[in-house]
Amino acid sequence: MKHVRQFTPSLFLSLVHVCLVQANYAPYFFDNGARSTNGNMALLSLSEDTPVGTHVYTLNGTDPEGDPVTYGLAYEAGSRRYFSVDKNLGNVTLIEELDREKEDEIEVIVSISDGLSTVSEKVRILVMDANDESPEFINTPYIVQVPENAPSGSSIFKIEAVDKDTGSGGSVTYFLQNFHANKFTIDRHSGVLRIKTGVTLDYEKSRTHFVVVIAKDGGGKLRGDNKVFSATTTVTVNVEDVQDTPPMFIGTPYYGYVYEDTLAGSEVLTVVALDGDRGKPNSIHYCIMNGDEGSFEIGNTTGAISVIKSPNQLKKEMYELKVQASEVGQDGEVSVNASAMVTIRVVDLNNHPPTFYGENGPQNRFELTMYEHPPEGEILRGLKITVNDSDQGANAKFNLRLVGPGGIFRVVPQTVLNEAQVTIIVENSAAIDYEKSKVLTFKLLAIEVNTPEKFSSTADIVIRLLDTNDNVPKFSSDYYIARIPENSPGGSNVVAVTATDPDSGLWGEVKYSIYGTGADLFLIHPSTGIIYTQPWAVLDAEVNSKYNFYVKAEDTDGKYSLAEVFITVLDVNDHSPEFNENIQEKTMIIGSPVKIEAIDQDAEEPNNIVDYSIMQADPANVFDIDKSTGEIKLKSYIRSLDIIHNITKNKDCVWSVVVQAKDRGSPSFSTTAVLKIDITEETLHKGPMAAFLMQTKDNPMKALGVLAGVMGIMVLITITISTAMFWRNKRSNKITPVRRIIKKRRIPQSRTVRMEWLKFKRPSNAEKFVVEDDANSLQNENSNNNIHVVPVPPTAPSPPPPPALALRGDDPGWRVPTVSGSLTPKFINKKKRGHGSAHSALVSELKMKFEKRNAAIGEPHI
């Protein structure tokens, strides 16, 4: 449809007024200095414990013209947004928690605008320290090996803790817990751990020391209060054995018996000596110093004493032997030694069974309380057992045996002659486990060896175990998998982890903690193991749907284990479909569909699957829409504009359709939009004029302006040429006939030649519209015409002929043709036949001028 607008002087003046732009001065900030609370935020400093929501500054500035100003804040890409600003008042509010240890300087771009000009400045805000960090020990755990002969007062280890705060809050001093009960001292400033003056270590008395160290900071302000933070750690001091203890006989006093039927060379008894230095024991060498009178001998390495004479050759009823045990070093040298007395009696009767004795006489039950997992080779010193057979010789020889769980203890000696001190030695430390059995019960059996009577006796050995912290907390699973909806509020429970420590008392108490890059939004209850979201946490499956981190279970001594937690954020339908920005207006060619598209930002199906429908159309029952693709097309019976005109009286073929995009979530969200559809028919017309009409159909004023400019230029050229010819003819003596000028010019042919190099690449949609020279080809089936071309006056003397600007008698003033915004070509009156080529040349030249103007101002082609 064609619209013609009259070009009036008022319109010309308004166009001229647009070109006159009044000078505008940019607004500016007040620079009130570093201590000011208003201005441009330059050199502003904030304490890191400033509460979120605090009004920290007021941006202040002015505009030289007095126009109202607005304020803004911006940040570099990837930077965290710490502040927000009221754009009218300039009030700056802290919206993100500060942490100097992570970021001690914040760059912010502040801006001030008067609506026309905007001034931006980059300022730096300094984050000041607050005492919000506790000291942290580094390079833990601390395990120190110290030889037992280390001199008192010597330094054995340096403990180091750091505090990320500055000033007094970052200084660290060290203290020892239970200082008076410790054998160690620590330098409060350097953290050097020393052995106390006058104190020595003894491997045989205590092999391990646990030293609890406390690190405190110097204190400082935090949210208005003075805070002092501390941390503790345990230093394990292992004492290393040094060869400084002589060997020691076990099972003393030693008693042996030789019977009258004992054969020469028979073993009487065995003495046992152990190196007092149990950490690195030396081998033992035995020898008899005196008292044997040539009747007995001892094995140098075994300690077995044998009689070398027959009993009838023995002149005494009792022999007292002095046995010496010496340590043999790695180099073969004999070092320290110890001695023990061995009493040997000569008897010949068997009328007494073996009998067990305690400290107060005969006893058949012995009890002992000890810690679990003693070192292997340890002697149960709390059991003071003596076994005796009052017979003489072979009648007093019996074996000792432990009956009970095997492989845990062994008894020494295993063979006794007459009397011996019973020693029980640890063989399997791992089996002495409080968590498996709190009480171990054995029977100690003594049975004669070579007597017909086989006299025997038993004693109950009851060992009660005490617990130690020998177990690590263990999770019920190596990993935990949880799911949580994204709309869960802050503080929602996610999953509960469970770890158990079989140790008793405080050693069995477990404390939970979490860490890892994915743990920022979650907390864990230290005693129950329930993992829940931070109170401020906002889960969003569209931003991040997977989190994983580690959970730690730790007992009071710092023993711990880890498990991994995997959390999936379940998508919730919380986004509505959104139409594209170009949905407001579509052009539909009959037979071809138009397509709308809406995007749903939800993360998962079916929440992000969109279905389309037509809610309302005027008139109804004209359009169909594909539910899945959003393609809108006419009903199958509508094949031309004539049918559409028969349906409605609205002849401009622009209809409004209310379309809806609805997702498949539950609950479902939908969005509606009003779509204007301009219906046209496909045409075979092609050419520069059709392309130009396609490009300017939505902006007829642009076409009007371009045509007016081209026409003005052509009128100016015509006047110039006419003037030049007038002056030439005036100087000439001859008057050239008019027909001769017209014959030479050949206006249509020259215009056609000029058009060959003015052709340009048309858009794909414009290729469907070609303006032909034949007037019959410019008619459409609707018999309407959008292009009014006035014939060029036949008497124009100068080339090229002026555009169709001839005045009509009934018009009040001169008019310019207007290009319609419709995509459907219209009929051209047959009376204008013969001017098609001139019209095509005009459109092409108009387009060339239009492209040159766009190239000059840097605008894209339409």
Side-chain angles (χ1 to χ4, degrees), residues 395-416:
N395 294 333
K397 187 177 182 181
F398 55 92
N399 290 336
L400 290 177
R401 190 166 49 138
L402 276 178
V403 179
I408 299 178
F409 301 98
R410 65 184 175 93
V411 63
V412 175
Q414 295 181 350
T415 301
V416 179

Side-chain angles (χ1 to χ4, degrees), residues 168-231:
S168 62
S171 63
V172 179
T173 53
Y174 305 89
F175 306 88
L176 292 185
Q177 194 177 69
N178 299 326
F179 174 78
H180 297 289
N182 265 315
K183 290 188 175 185
F184 306 90
T185 182
I186 192 170
D187 187 290
R188 62 179 298 175
H189 299 294
S190 65
V192 174
L193 188 67
R194 302 176 183 274
I195 303 174
K196 277 185 179 179
T197 303
V199 175
T200 57
L201 304 178
D202 192 342
Y203 176 86
E204 285 70 31
K205 292 181 179 179
S206 180
R207 301 179 182 181
T208 304
H209 300 273
F210 299 98
V211 183
V212 179
V213 181
I214 302 172
K216 290 184 179 180
D217 64 21
K221 292 292 184 180
L222 179 63
R223 298 183 181 90
D225 297 326
N226 191 52
K227 295 289 185 179
V228 177
F229 293 95
S230 63

Side-chain angles (χ1 to χ4, degrees), residues 134-159:
S134 300
E136 292 182 2
F137 291 94
I138 61 175
N139 300 325
T140 57
Y142 297 134
I143 300 175
V144 186
Q145 306 292 335
V146 181
E148 64 177 341
N149 61 351
S152 62
S154 61
S155 61
I156 60 173
F157 192 70
K158 187 176 189 294
I159 299 164

Side-chain angles (χ1 to χ4, degrees), residues 13 39 53 82 125 172 174 223 325 382 392 444 534 563 584 594 637 740 776 778 818:
L13 292 176
Y82 286 93
I125 291 87
V172 179
Y174 305 89
R223 298 183 181 90
Q392 298 293 321
L444 182 60
Q534 294 269 13
Q584 289 83 3
V594 296
Y637 64 86
R740 182 181 176 187
N776 293 331
L778 297 176
T818 303

Side-chain angles (χ1 to χ4, degrees), residues 560-574:
Y560 68 92
S561 62
L562 301 175
E564 195 165 9
V565 178
F566 298 87
I567 297 176
T568 300
V569 180
L570 301 178
D571 184 49
V572 176
N573 191 24
D574 57 351

Side-chain angles (χ1 to χ4, degrees), residues 515-633:
Y515 67 96
T517 56
D520 296 340
L521 297 182
F522 303 92
L523 296 172
I524 188 169
H525 194 282
S527 57
T528 64
I530 296 176
I531 298 176
Y532 54 97
T533 59
Q534 294 269 13
W536 47 263
V538 177
L539 302 177
D540 192 344
E542 288 75 35
V543 177
N544 191 357
S545 61
K546 301 290 183 182
Y547 296 88
N548 75 289
F549 49 85
Y550 291 94
V551 60
K552 179 180 181 182
E554 184 177 14
D555 64 17
T556 53
D557 275 354
K559 294 182 177 181
Y560 68 92
S561 62
L562 301 175
E564 195 165 9
V565 178
F566 298 87
I567 297 176
T568 300
V569 180
L570 301 178
D571 184 49
V572 176
N573 191 24
D574 57 351
H575 287 82
S576 300
E578 294 181 3
F579 284 101
N580 291 341
E581 295 179 357
N582 59 351
I583 192 177
Q584 289 83 3
E585 189 168 334
K586 297 279 186 179
T587 299
M588 175 183 288
I589 298 175
I590 295 177
S592 300
V594 296
K595 185 175 180 180
I596 62 173
E597 186 177 11
I599 303 299
D600 193 313
Q601 297 297 332
D602 285 312
E604 299 175 1
E605 297 180 2
N607 297 334
N608 58 5
I609 297 179
V610 179
D611 292 330
Y612 303 90
S613 61
I614 295 177
M615 304 300 294
Q616 182 180 350
D618 183 19
N621 298 323
V622 173
F623 299 97
D624 287 328
I625 188 168
D626 190 294
K627 177 181 178 181
S628 301
T629 64
E631 287 189 351
I632 300 174
K633 58 185 178 181

Side-chain angles (χ1 to χ4, degrees), residues 648-756:
T648 176
K649 296 180 180 181
N650 187 5
K651 300 303 181 179
D652 60 358
C653 300
V654 178
W655 291 347
S656 296
V657 180
V658 179
V659 294
Q660 181 189 67
K662 184 177 182 180
D663 62 29
R664 297 183 183 178
S666 179
S668 179
F669 292 94
S670 63
T671 301
T672 59
V674 177
L675 172 65
K676 291 185 178 181
I677 300 180
D678 184 1
I679 301 178
T680 184
E681 283 186 320
E682 185 175 8
T683 179
L684 298 176
H685 300 320
K686 297 183 179 179
M689 184 62 184
F692 180 78
L693 293 177
M694 281 295 296
Q695 294 179 356
T696 59
K697 76 179 189 66
D698 295 328
N699 192 354
M701 290 302 296
K702 181 184 292 186
L704 178 63
V706 172
L707 287 174
V710 172
M711 291 165 58
I713 293 173
M714 295 184 69
V715 169
L716 181 60
I717 294 173
T718 302
I719 294 173
T720 303
I721 295 174
S722 299
T723 303
M725 293 180 65
F726 170 77
W727 286 106
R728 186 188 66 177
N729 294 334
K730 186 176 180 180
R731 289 193 298 269
S732 175
N733 294 328
K734 297 181 180 180
I735 299 176
T736 305
V738 173
R739 64 175 180 270
R740 182 181 176 187
I741 298 173
I742 296 174
K743 186 176 180 181
K744 277 188 172 184
R745 299 293 297 179
R746 293 186 181 181
I747 296 169
Q749 289 80 357
S750 62
R751 296 292 291 173
T752 304
V753 172
R754 290 181 61 191
M755 285 303 302
E756 291 300 321

